[in-house]
């Protein structure tokens, strides 16, 4: 009842003729309750095999939360020659929490761009193992604050070049990217100049202008979006046209399911092309089918997107 009452108050606080609501930082900063990542996360993969074995930094509590009341778990891997003056990528997970695909994406970004990579956790740190009902306080607004907190830590403590810093998310992580870059007065005050651009793979993009399904777009920096026509987890039918039209680029794959880049043999293994499975989702056991061709095409577009932005002076 308390959440319902608060939601009503926030909805009625809309400014006339605009999609702006007061941002309740306290509500969207659930307490940090955990200081160690599980060795065997929700899908029972080996965390060691997806971090230390592939030379990514171990998951540990190290990124101060937006409200400064705890440390978010993260894998931080600066370039061996130093973090300054090179691309940096923050990788954010989907509604299931971190899985091998996130670490595989971090590896590809690290090796392709000779980059620093931060794989950021939002759930384990708060005692969450899953969040299938994503329209909760653990959704886009909370996670946008985590993205800001990570960027500020990378800028202020690790001295990375914000003109070369990007955030990449898949599924609910893609929703996080879209929300973080949305021109909301509160978020944009922190995001402008912090990140050069965003990458959203098969994102959730429902947007109703409420605290737990907040406004998406227009964006304060270039965003590239990838969607699949056979994706029943985050179907394109949920996306308001403006959410896609406002992106710098939008690439649609009509024959693809959710998670076409799934690391189905872990970040340390070789993925099996064409292998399909079903997500462990009690609300929506959606199909996940690996496609080498689509993954390669998406990555070519990401590489071009990033290189073109880095080549241009940031505003």
């Amino acid at each position: 009842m308390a959440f319902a009452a608060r939601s009503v108050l926030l909805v009625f606080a809309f400014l006339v003729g605009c999609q702006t609501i007061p941002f309740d930082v306290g509500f969207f900063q659930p307490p940090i309750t955990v200081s160690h990542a599980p060795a065997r996360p929700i899908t029972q993969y080996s965390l060691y095999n997806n971090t230390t074995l592939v030379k990514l930094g171990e998951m540990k509590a190290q990124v101060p939360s937006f409200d400064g009341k705890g440390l978010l778990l993260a894998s931080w891997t600066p370039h061996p020659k130093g973090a300054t003056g090179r691309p940096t990528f923050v990788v954010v997970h989907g509604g299931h929490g971190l899985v091998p695909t996130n670490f595989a994406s971090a590896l590809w970004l690290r090796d392709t761009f000779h980059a620093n990579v931060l794989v950021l956790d939002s759930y384990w740190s708060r005692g969450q193992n899953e969040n299938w009902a994503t329209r909760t306080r653990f959704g886009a607004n909370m996670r946008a604050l985590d993205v800001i907190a990570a960027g500020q830590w990378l800028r202020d403590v690790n001295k990375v070049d914000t003109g070369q810093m990007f955030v990449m998310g898949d599924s609910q992580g893609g929703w996080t990217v879209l929300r973080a870059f949305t021109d909301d007065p509160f978020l944009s005050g922190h995001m402008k100049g912090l990140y050069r651009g965003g990458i959203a793979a098969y994102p959730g993009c429902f947007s109703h202008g409420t605290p737990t399904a907040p406004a998406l777009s227009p964006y304060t920096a270039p965003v590239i979006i990838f969607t699949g026509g056979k994706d029943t987890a985050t179907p394109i039918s949920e996306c308001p046209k403006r959410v896609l039209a406002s992106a710098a680029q939008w690439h649609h794959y009509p024959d693809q399911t959710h998670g076409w880049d799934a690391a189905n043999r872990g970040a340390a293994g070789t993925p099996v092309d064409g292998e399909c499975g079903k997500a462990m989702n009690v609300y929506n056991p959606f199909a996940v089918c690996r496609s080498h061709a689509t993954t390669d095409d998406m990555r070519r577009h990401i590489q071009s997107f990033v290189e073109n932005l880095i080549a241009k002076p940031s505003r």
Side-chain angles (χ1 to χ4, degrees):
M1 289 299 293
F3 168 70
R6 178 175 287 181
S7 294
V8 169
L9 288 172
L10 287 174
V11 170
F12 277 101
F14 270 61
L15 297 181
V16 176
C18 100
Q19 290 278 312
T20 302
I21 59 175
F23 199 108
D24 190 342
V25 172
F27 181 69
F28 290 114
Q29 286 287 270
I32 305 295
T33 61
V34 176
S35 59
H36 295 88
R40 290 277 178 181
I42 186 171
T43 54
Q44 295 301 304
Y45 66 90
S46 165
L47 187 60
Y48 174 90
N49 287 351
N50 287 273
T51 54
T52 306
L53 186 64
V54 293
K55 298 182 180 180
L56 289 176
E58 66 174 304
M59 291 293 303
K60 60 183 180 181
Q62 56 186 323
V63 176
S65 61
F66 183 85
D67 63 4
K69 295 182 179 179
L71 298 175
L72 294 165
L73 293 160
S75 165
W76 168 230
T77 310
H79 191 275
K81 293 184 179 180
T84 304
R86 64 184 69 254
T88 300
F89 295 89
V90 175
V91 177
V92 294
H93 59 75
H96 35 59
L98 283 167
V99 294
T101 302
N102 303 123
F103 297 105
S105 294
L107 285 177
W108 177 77
L109 293 165
R110 181 195 69 184
D111 296 343
T112 300
F113 297 99
H114 306 289
N116 314 304
V117 291
L118 180 82
V119 183
L120 181 67
D121 160 61
S122 288
Y123 285 173
W124 296 337
S125 307
R126 298 180 169 101
Q128 295 288 117
N129 284 325
E130 60 177 320
N131 179 25
W132 306 125
T134 53
R135 298 173 204 196
T136 69
R137 67 189 295 205
F138 293 91
N141 277 332
M142 180 196 83
R143 303 200 56 206
L145 294 179
D146 291 350
V147 165
I148 292 168
Q152 292 173 338
W153 181 73
L154 289 167
R155 178 194 63 196
D156 299 340
V157 176
N158 295 281
K159 308 304 179 185
V160 305
D161 179 1
T162 57
Q164 300 186 67
M165 187 157 66
F166 298 80
V167 56
M168 177 177 179
D170 64 312
S171 193
Q172 196 201 53
W175 184 36
T176 301
V177 171
L178 300 183
R179 178 57 180 159
F181 284 96
T182 290
D183 193 9
D184 171 279
F186 180 83
L187 293 176
S188 61
H190 296 280
M191 283 291 291
K192 284 182 178 178
L194 187 61
Y195 287 95
R196 191 72 177 87
I199 303 157
Y202 38 94
C205 52
F206 43 85
S207 174
H208 306 304
T210 65
T212 56
L216 304 175
S217 79
Y219 308 113
T220 57
V223 170
I224 186 170
I225 301 175
F226 301 90
T227 57
K230 294 183 178 179
D231 185 347
T232 62
T234 54
I236 195 171
S237 60
E238 289 188 335
C239 299
K241 291 181 179 179
R242 69 179 188 280
V243 173
L244 302 172
S246 295
Q249 295 182 42
W250 167 40
H251 301 276
H252 184 62
Y253 303 108
D255 295 330
Q256 292 306 303
T257 69
H258 201 74
W260 57 73
D261 58 339
N264 52 28
R265 293 298 179 274
T270 301
V272 177
D273 191 26
E275 182 177 86
C276 294
K278 285 193 174 181
M280 296 171 59
N281 184 330
V282 296
Y283 296 122
N284 180 8
F286 52 88
V288 175
C289 297
R290 168 76 189 199
S291 170
H292 286 357
T294 306
T295 300
D296 290 345
D297 188 72
M298 176 179 74
R299 288 177 172 177
R300 281 193 295 270
H301 286 299
I302 292 172
Q303 185 170 0
S304 176
F305 173 76
V306 169
E307 289 175 347
N308 286 339
L309 284 176
I310 289 175
K312 298 176 182 178
S314 55
R315 294 178 183 178

